[in-house]
Amino acid sequence: MPALFTVKIDSFRKINKIENAWSGEDYHALMEMMGLDDGLEGMDAAELREMCLMSLNDLEADEAAKVVLTHLFADELANDELTEGKIEQLSHDISDDRLWEEYSECLYHERFFNAYALLREAFNGIFAQPTGVEFIVNVRAGNIEDMAIFDESPCASMVRLLAGGLSDNALLHRLYDEQITGQQFPQAPGIVWKLQQLADEGLTRQFSVVSSSFWFESFGQIDEFEASSHADVSDEEE
């Protein structure tokens, strides 16, 4: 049976980049892909970042986008989940579309968001400014045992909980109602990009959530709500 919680939005802000989304290793990998990795030894992350941004800017916008997307989706390319032709197409579409919202597979949205943030900085515009949200929620339960769902499947449990604060016709419900009410929510990490537990006081826990404004922009006008949630059901439990 789903547990009932009281959810309070402690703080809410809009963001256009995720802090520390790009590491020194990422910048080095991008430079290597552009054939510019000689002489980078000893550079710190800030220096690598500046060099990488300038190098991307030396390319045509679609070429720079292809470099960034190829790096971000290297695993999908290796596993044939995406093709080089698809990356080529996306590198041309990215300047006109809002792929962090519009791409059909939401599990890719966070990486598209990070791509737009980097490319927009490199080109001083051209690419759309990505729109995200970061907010703090206090979650209060009636029974301490109910909090276990956030240990068992944190992202899925949090998305189901937050969905309860949205209107019934919200896009999240229209697209994912079966997963919200069902036993498995594999797309949850594509909706809640970053989830960090900040405090645990037994019946109350505090979380930081990073996501797209596409899903949760309305929480900027919501203070508190009650909602139910449940964890995913494991194969052994089914």
Side-chain angles (χ1 to χ4, degrees), residues 129-158:
Q129 179 167 279
T131 51
V133 294
E134 182 176 11
F135 53 98
I136 306 296
V137 294
N138 267 308
V139 180
R140 186 169 70 250
N143 301 293
I144 195 168
E145 294 83 6
D146 293 340
M147 284 295 189
I149 65 172
F150 298 108
D151 301 319
E152 296 167 15
S153 49
C155 273
S157 299
M158 181 56 70

Side-chain angles (χ1 to χ4, degrees), residues 27 29-37 51-52 55-56 59 67:
Y27 299 131
L30 292 172
M31 293 294 288
E32 185 176 1
M33 290 175 63
M34 290 183 281
L36 301 170
D37 53 323
M51 183 73 71
C52 186
S55 300
L56 288 169
L59 302 175
V67 169

Side-chain angles (χ1 to χ4, degrees), residues 158-168 172-173 180 216 219 225-228:
M158 181 56 70
V159 174
R160 290 184 177 111
L161 183 67
L162 295 175
L166 303 174
S167 65
D168 291 341
L172 186 61
H173 285 289
I180 290 170
F216 299 123
F219 282 158
F225 60 90
E226 287 192 348
S228 61

Side-chain angles (χ1 to χ4, degrees), residues 1-234:
M1 178 181 295
L4 185 65
F5 301 89
T6 300
V7 182
K8 182 180 179 182
I9 309 296
D10 272 358
S11 66
F12 180 94
R13 69 186 185 105
K14 296 180 180 180
I15 59 173
N16 51 45
K17 66 178 179 179
I18 298 173
E19 294 298 326
N20 302 315
W22 294 92
S23 67
E25 289 77 11
D26 289 316
Y27 299 131
H28 193 284
L30 292 172
M31 293 294 288
E32 185 176 1
M33 290 175 63
M34 290 183 281
L36 301 170
D37 53 323
D38 288 340
L40 301 182
E41 298 79 6
M43 283 191 180
D44 61 23
E47 292 173 315
L48 277 170
R49 176 181 176 82
E50 289 304 313
M51 183 73 71
C52 186
L53 290 173
M54 288 189 293
S55 300
L56 288 169
N57 184 257
D58 287 338
L59 302 175
E60 295 295 326
D62 61 311
E63 293 174 349
K66 183 177 180 180
V67 169
V68 172
L69 294 178
T70 299
H71 171 66
L72 287 173
F73 293 100
D75 289 343
E76 284 75 14
L77 284 165
N79 296 328
D80 294 326
E81 295 171 25
L82 288 175
T83 64
E84 290 185 9
K86 184 62 175 179
I87 293 293
E88 182 81 31
Q89 176 192 332
L90 291 171
S91 70
H92 288 279
D93 293 344
I94 192 171
S95 60
D96 296 320
D97 297 339
R98 299 165 63 91
L99 297 177
W100 75 92
E101 295 179 347
E102 298 172 356
Y103 195 75
S104 57
E105 176 53 85
C106 73
L107 292 172
Y108 297 170
H109 284 187
E110 181 183 359
R111 280 177 283 177
F112 282 128
F113 183 94
N114 292 333
Y116 276 91
L118 187 69
L119 289 166
R120 182 175 173 82
E121 188 169 354
F123 285 86
N124 192 28
I126 297 179
F127 298 91
Q129 179 167 279
T131 51
V133 294
E134 182 176 11
F135 53 98
I136 306 296
V137 294
N138 267 308
V139 180
R140 186 169 70 250
N143 301 293
I144 195 168
E145 294 83 6
D146 293 340
M147 284 295 189
I149 65 172
F150 298 108
D151 301 319
E152 296 167 15
S153 49
C155 273
S157 299
M158 181 56 70
V159 174
R160 290 184 177 111
L161 183 67
L162 295 175
L166 303 174
S167 65
D168 291 341
N169 66 348
L171 190 61
L172 186 61
H173 285 289
R174 298 205 306 269
L175 293 179
Y176 296 107
D177 188 61
E178 288 187 9
Q179 293 190 39
I180 290 170
T181 59
Q183 297 182 332
Q184 298 289 332
F185 203 152
Q187 264 62 46
I191 297 167
V192 165
W193 298 340
K194 304 291 183 189
L195 177 63
Q196 181 183 4
Q197 182 174 294
L198 303 177
D200 182 353
E201 298 179 3
L203 288 173
T204 303
R205 294 192 190 185
Q206 186 181 65
F207 298 90
S208 169
V209 179
V210 175
S211 181
S212 171
S213 60
F214 190 61
W215 306 115
F216 299 123
E217 185 175 17
S218 63
F219 282 158
Q221 286 78 48
I222 295 174
D223 294 323
E224 188 173 308
F225 60 90
E226 287 192 348
S228 61
S229 185
H230 62 277
D232 280 354
V233 177
S234 66

